[in-house]
Amino acid sequence: MSPYELRRECVELLVKANDGHPGSVMSLVEIVHEVVQDLDLKRDKLIISKGHGGMVLYPILHERGMISDEDYANFRKPLFPITMFPNKAIPGIPVSCGSLGNGVGYGCGFAISDRSIRVVVIISEGELYEGSTWEALMFARHYNLTNLRVIVDKNDAITLGTPDECLSIPWGVLNHFPFVEVRETVKGKGVPAWEGKIESHYWSQ
C-alpha cells in the first residue's frame, strides 16, 4: 500500500463515518507508511500516542489480515472494535490511546521489558506540553532504551492554534534525546478542504 493509497483509504473511512480528526490522520500518513515497513506488527510495538490520528493504521492492519473484512467494513459501528481511537482489542494495537501524554511511558515499559523487540511511539507536538512525556523521555535516556524510537509529528497546529501562539516548545532540548525524531508535516495533507487548517483537527459534515 502506497502513501497515496493509505491516504485515500483513510479519507474514505472518515467520510463513511461522517466524523473524525482528519487533520491529525492525514499528517501521519507518510510517517506511519515508512515506520511499518520495518516492523512486525504481531511482535514489535507501534504506539500512536496521538490517538485522534490512530485510525491511520487501520488500512494497513486490514491489508495484513489483522483486521477482518467485516470489522473493517463496520468502522465506528456499535458492537464492532474498529473505533476512531486506537483500541487494544484490535491485533496490532498494543495499547488504547486517546488521553494525550501517555504514549512514551507505554513505549518505555515495552522497551525495557523486552529489549529484543522494536518499539516506535508517535506523538503530537501538543503532547510536549505534558510533563509525563518529558518524564518518560528522561527515563528512556537514563536506561539507554536503544530499541525505542520516538517520532514527533510536528504539523504546527494543535487544538487551540499554533504552538507559538499557545506556548512555545523548546525544540532544541529534544536534541539531547538521540532516539527522538522531529518530522515536519502538514495538518490535513492531501485534502484541500483540510490541508494546513487548524479547524481540520475535528471535522463533521
Side-chain angles (χ1 to χ4, degrees):
M1 178 178 293
S2 67
Y4 172 81
E5 291 168 328
L6 177 56
R7 179 167 279 110
R8 184 185 63 192
E9 285 280 326
C10 288
V11 170
E12 289 177 357
L13 287 173
L14 286 160
V15 171
K16 184 177 179 180
N18 195 32
D19 189 21
H21 295 81
S24 297
V25 173
M26 297 295 105
S27 70
L28 282 174
V29 167
E30 278 75 20
I31 295 174
V32 170
H33 180 267
E34 176 229 308
V35 165
V36 299
Q37 305 306 313
D38 297 322
L39 294 181
D40 177 354
L41 295 177
K42 295 180 179 179
R43 181 173 183 272
D44 299 320
K45 309 299 180 184
L46 172 56
I47 299 169
I48 301 181
S49 185
K50 48 176 291 183
H52 46 290
M55 60 157 287
V56 68
L57 192 54
Y58 295 162
I60 294 168
L61 294 175
H62 179 240
E63 182 183 54
R64 294 191 181 188
M66 299 170 73
I67 292 178
S68 70
D69 291 343
E70 181 182 14
D71 284 347
Y72 192 71
N74 286 281
F75 171 64
R76 295 214 72 193
K77 297 289 181 63
L79 305 181
F80 287 89
I82 315 301
T83 58
M84 182 61 67
F85 287 72
N87 176 2
K88 67 178 182 180
I90 303 167
I93 306 288
V95 293
S96 298
C97 290
S99 181
L100 298 179
N102 295 323
V104 182
Y106 285 136
C108 287
F110 285 120
I112 200 169
S113 65
D114 185 351
R115 291 180 181 262
S116 72
I117 65 171
R118 289 171 291 183
V119 181
V120 178
V121 182
I122 301 173
I123 68 173
S124 63
E125 57 202 326
E127 289 183 84
L128 294 172
Y129 290 169
E130 304 285 348
S132 55
T133 297
W134 293 98
E135 291 167 2
L137 291 174
M138 291 188 292
F139 179 94
R141 185 174 62 183
H142 179 80
Y143 286 101
N144 192 30
L145 300 183
T146 56
N147 57 331
L148 173 69
R149 179 184 180 192
V150 177
I151 301 173
V152 183
D153 176 12
K154 185 179 182 294
N155 61 30
D156 286 323
I158 56 177
T159 308
L160 301 176
T162 68
D164 285 342
E165 291 170 339
C166 296
L167 188 65
S168 296
I169 295 171
W171 294 109
V173 175
L174 289 177
N175 293 333
H176 297 287
F177 301 97
F179 52 89
V180 176
E181 305 167 33
V182 178
R183 297 291 185 87
E184 300 275 351
T185 64
V186 178
K187 199 172 187 84
K189 181 179 177 180
V191 180
W194 301 335
E195 192 167 296
K197 298 179 180 178
I198 291 172
E199 55 268 29
S200 71
H201 179 81
Y202 180 77
W203 162 81
S204 179
Q205 285 187 342

